[in-house]
Amino acid sequence: MSIVTIDRDGDIAVVTVNNPPVNALSQALRQGLWDAAEALDVEQGIRAVVLICAGRTFIAGADVSEFGKPPMEPHLPDLVGRIETATKPWIAAIHGSALGGGFEVAMGCRFRVALDSASVGLPEVTLGIVPGASGTVRTPRLAGVEAAVELVTTGRPVKAPRAAQMGLVDAVVSGDLRAEAIAFARTALEKPLPPATSARPIAAPEPGFWEAQETAIARRAKGEVAPLRALASIRRATEVPFAEAMAFERATFLDLRGSDQAAALRHIFFAERAAPRPGHLADVAPLPLRTAAVIGGGTMGAGIAAALRDAGLPVTLIERDAEAVERGLANLRGIYAGAVKRGKLTEAQVEARMSGVTAGSDYSALADVDLVIEAVFEEIGVKRAVFEQLGRVCRPDAVLATNTSYLDPRAIAEGLRNPARFIGLHFFSPANVMKLLEIVPTPDTAPETLATGFALGRMLGKIPVQAGICEGFIGNRILKRYRAEAEAIVRQGTAIAAVDKAMRDYGFAMGPFEAQDLGGLDIAYLQREGARAAGQAVHETLGDILVRAGRKGQKTGGGWYDYLPGDRSPKPSDAVAALLAAHIQPGAALDSAAISARMVGAMADEGRKILDEGIAQRASDIDLVEVHGYGFPRWRGGPMFAA
Ligand code: T1G
């Protein structure tokens, strides 16, 4: 089937786009649509044109893979204009996601009919650019300035019913989209057509609107260039004629297209799509995942159970005894209560989630589950005891996974029956929110078990990254190096607060020291002490000195910083200065840029070692780990990309 075909339903032409996988607007597709407009303009007997797509979605945007190349004709804004000035009205029939250039094409049409399951959006700012084919100029004409600002500066798609309320689509239909769109076209032809989108007026917003939006965006998208530039382009559309506004938008788009932030965000975009389907597992069939169990109802176990329920899997939650079972269920309810408070879930949805959970302390309930994830206390004896029971009770083909973050999975699986079905699945807390999932096979893990880990990652909507076995796998190993570099910078005479500020200025939500105060210094301290007890030579760290002085972080009223009661804002501490004075050579303090260069450089250096040792499959996986697990600013692309 060619990329654009035309057929007729009486006096209505139907233009069908077929450019798998997502009908992206490649040069060939733009040319095909242009030619269709030319042909249909002059075809006798045709009164309207329905534009519909084959496959899973309406046009999902410009072809991101063309971004690195010089733009080729027909340029997308010209194509949108060509459709808008067609002699017969075009009606966009939208299913799946009409995104970016796809929605811009739909706005060039005289009407938009969307399936109730469809969504529309302008995600360009998530790629570090602005819409380049009238998204900032037509959207306010279609739906008003406020809707345009929400759609364009967040990059978040909206579902069809909401889009209809906003004025972005004219009708929401269910059932046969093609038939509904043709019927809509016929009805629309019975009355005068609305003006073309570009001919519609824009109501100016109330005074102070732009300044308020600028402040809100600068706070929400801290450090990102594109959202503010998109706002400026929408504002321009309210102040100058259409053609001038289009020129301004196009100049902005071309300017940002070549920017570092756009390159970084495209890098993450493609890395995220490559990660869940690793090439080396392409022809390995995963095992079925119909039922799951979680051992341990603590923070991690409850979070993992919530993630499994969110994906629709029935869950058996196992704890030591009746009291611990109740605590586990309470933890799970607590997670869902938070989601209801934030408006993410309704009470009814929570009841449905909870009704799919069976909780108890009897392992015999696990006789037929497909997957068990252990999330008990991070101590090898406790974990081994769990797997000894699982090995006895579960089916020999049930996948048994440990959520360990530091222990060696090989040690946990020692003596397990059929170790080929054992794997490490390292979730990040909160497990139902954080997208990163480190998948850690042992040398005995069978390929189909590994493929099942990735299938679980896809099912849970996670970013799964395969990691080899070393202390801390990928993420926690880099975190350890990151913190060591921060301490080295302090030892060489730079203030603790200066390091944190530098990393916040770089784009992290928190610096390394304030983050430790929030999470607790004692966690890493206990790791180090455990390693020392096991005979490893582990140098004393500045963190050790603080923990030994009782300074474990916010929970003890002070760690790297002091905290006033009820006040979580970090205060530089004289006590800390005194405790560490003997370890700090008064040297030239580094400035912000030098600090962040050192810190990111250390992460990249550790990343290169991780690659060389085969712990990570590819550099972009390391970037995904840092962006999705450790707060590395997405628009920097991750340490490997940034360095
Ligand atoms: N261009 C090229 N390839 C794309 C693509 C795109 N826009 N979007 C997805 N793919 C590929 C993806 O790499 C993967 O390939 C396959 O399609 C399935 O993707 C002028 C300039 C549409 C919601 O940002 O949000 O228009 O790995 O796994 O989960 O103003 O893809 O199979 O070989 O994500 O069903 C704006 C980005 C571009 C949309 C489908 N558009 N895509 O999700 O499948 S900028 C976007 C998505 C723009 C104009 C500007 C999602 C999806 P492979 P997938 P999915």
Side-chain angles (χ1 to χ4, degrees):
M1 189 176 181
S2 72
I3 209 164
V4 173
T5 51
I6 301 175
D7 64 289
R8 285 102 188 134
D9 182 308
D11 55 0
I12 308 293
V14 179
V15 171
T16 302
V17 168
N18 183 36
N19 186 26
V22 294
N23 292 314
L25 280 157
S26 60
Q27 191 281 336
L29 175 50
R30 298 198 300 273
Q31 190 61 57
L33 287 172
W34 187 284
D35 297 346
E38 296 283 288
L40 289 168
D41 266 7
V42 300
E43 182 172 330
Q44 298 305 317
I46 292 298
R47 297 201 302 144
V49 180
V50 167
L51 171 62
I52 197 164
C53 292
R56 63 170 133 182
T57 176
F58 190 77
I59 301 167
D63 189 331
V64 186
S65 60
E66 282 184 3
F67 271 26
K69 304 166 195 156
M72 291 179 289
E73 295 191 338
H75 298 309
L76 192 51
D78 300 333
L79 172 65
V80 177
R82 180 66 190 80
I83 290 173
E84 185 175 73
T85 53
T87 55
K88 294 124 188 198
W90 282 47
I91 293 92
I94 298 169
H95 73 294
S97 307
L99 298 174
F103 186 56
E104 289 169 313
V105 165
M107 287 198 287
C109 297
R110 197 58 63 97
F111 301 96
R112 284 144 300 283
V113 175
L115 211 50
D116 45 12
S117 57
S119 55
V120 300
L122 292 167
E124 286 84 346
V125 294
T126 65
L127 292 167
I129 54 177
V130 297
S134 82
T136 65
V137 188
R138 282 196 170 87
T139 310
R141 283 174 164 77
L142 206 53
V145 168
E146 302 215 3
V149 169
E150 179 194 332
L151 199 71
V152 176
T153 63
T154 64
R156 270 200 299 273
V158 292
K159 278 272 177 233
R162 173 97 201 286
Q165 286 168 351
M166 295 165 76
L168 295 168
V169 301
D170 301 285
V172 178
V173 300
S174 51
D176 181 341
L177 177 61
R178 177 191 162 103
E180 293 284 354
I182 291 170
F184 180 93
R186 291 221 162 85
T187 308
L189 286 169
E190 288 161 11
K191 41 189 184 287
L193 294 177
T197 309
S198 58
R200 299 185 194 188
I202 307 181
E206 70 279 359
F209 173 80
W210 298 114
E211 293 70 20
Q213 291 299 327
E214 264 177 50
T215 308
I217 291 168
R219 188 174 50 248
R220 186 192 70 227
K222 184 169 167 275
E224 294 180 57
V225 168
L228 288 170
R229 296 288 293 276
L231 183 72
S233 195
I234 297 171
R235 177 170 190 171
R236 184 62 62 95
T238 67
E239 296 165 345
V240 300
F242 181 82
E244 253 185 83
M246 284 299 291
F248 182 83
E249 178 191 77
R250 191 75 185 161
T252 306
F253 166 73
L254 292 173
D255 174 38
L256 291 180
R257 207 169 98 112
S259 67
D260 292 345
Q261 289 194 10
L265 288 164
R266 266 201 309 280
H267 164 71
I268 293 295
F269 171 86
F270 282 114
E272 283 172 340
R273 278 157 184 77
R277 300 176 187 81
H280 64 288
L281 293 170
D283 53 7
V284 180
L287 300 169
L289 285 172
R290 295 151 306 202
T291 55
V294 176
I295 314 296
T299 305
M300 284 312 290
I304 294 168
L308 293 165
R309 286 299 303 130
D310 291 348
L313 276 171
V315 171
T316 303
L317 182 62
I318 296 288
E319 255 290 3
R320 280 189 310 280
D321 53 40
E323 193 195 335
V325 166
E326 283 318 304
R327 270 203 309 278
L329 284 172
N331 287 340
L332 188 50
R333 282 198 176 281
I335 288 172
Y336 282 136
V340 170
K341 209 159 56 192
R342 286 192 305 279
K344 295 264 189 247
L345 285 179
T346 63
E347 293 289 357
Q349 285 171 319
V350 169
E351 283 324 302
R353 295 279 205 288
M354 293 305 293
S355 66
V357 178
T358 310
S361 56
D362 181 353
Y363 276 66
S364 65
L366 307 182
D368 195 32
V369 293
D370 294 331
L371 164 73
V372 183
I373 301 173
E374 166 271 315
V376 298
F377 185 62
E378 192 75 351
E379 196 284 314
I380 189 71
V382 176
K383 289 187 183 300
R384 272 216 190 113
V386 165
F387 282 96
E388 193 279 324
Q389 292 201 70
L390 294 176
R392 266 190 300 102
V393 170
C394 295
R395 292 192 332 246
D397 67 329
V399 172
L400 304 182
T402 175
N403 170 56
T404 188
S405 51
Y406 266 98
L407 300 177
D408 184 333
R410 289 167 298 193
I412 296 171
E414 213 165 275
L416 177 67
R417 184 159 64 96
N418 183 14
R421 45 79 178 269
F422 177 86
I423 194 163
L425 292 178
H426 180 212
F427 288 81
F428 287 75
S429 186
N432 59 311
V433 173
M434 294 292 279
K435 280 192 166 297
L436 182 60
L437 174 66
E438 281 182 323
I439 297 181
V440 190
T442 71
D444 297 328
T445 300
E448 60 271 9
T449 305
L450 181 56
T452 307
F454 276 91
L456 179 71
R458 291 195 294 274
M459 188 185 281
L460 301 183
K462 299 277 185 192
I463 301 284
V465 170
Q466 184 171 333
I469 294 174
C470 68
E471 191 201 323
F473 310 137
I474 297 173
N476 281 338
R477 172 166 162 180
I478 290 177
L479 176 64
K480 185 176 172 186
R481 174 71 186 277
Y482 176 71
R483 286 174 170 170
E485 193 66 20
E487 288 200 10
I489 292 171
V490 166
R491 286 176 191 273
Q492 291 154 19
T494 301
I496 290 167
V499 175
D500 279 345
K501 183 176 183 317
M503 297 322 287
R504 265 186 276 113
D505 290 349
Y506 184 81
F508 283 82
M510 299 182 94
F513 296 112
E514 52 200 357
Q516 288 174 59
D517 276 0
L518 184 65
L521 280 70
D522 46 334
I523 299 167
Y525 170 76
L526 290 172
Q527 301 294 343
R528 291 192 293 273
E529 286 292 276
R532 289 171 184 133
Q536 288 176 36
V538 178
H539 298 302
E540 176 176 76
T541 70
L542 300 181
D544 289 340
I545 298 169
L546 299 185
V547 172
R548 289 195 189 107
R551 300 183 68 90
K552 297 179 183 176
Q554 290 191 20
K555 59 187 173 186
T556 58
W560 293 98
Y561 296 93
D562 289 340
Y563 296 86
L564 300 174
D567 178 356
R568 302 169 74 103
S569 58
K571 307 270 186 290
S573 165
D574 294 338
V576 167
L579 277 167
L580 303 184
H583 304 272
I584 293 172
Q585 309 114 9
L590 297 181
D591 67 18
S592 261
I595 293 168
S596 55
R598 276 268 304 262
M599 296 287 281
V600 174
M603 297 169 91
D605 180 58
E606 197 62 30
R608 276 188 290 278
K609 290 188 181 121
I610 285 170
L611 270 179
D612 293 346
E613 295 167 27
I615 297 291
Q617 305 274 313
R618 58 188 74 81
S620 59
D621 274 1
I622 297 171
D623 289 332
L624 288 178
V625 166
E626 291 308 313
V627 165
H628 284 290
Y630 295 81
F632 199 98
R634 183 188 179 86
W635 48 270
R636 298 271 193 182
M640 308 308 281
F641 183 87

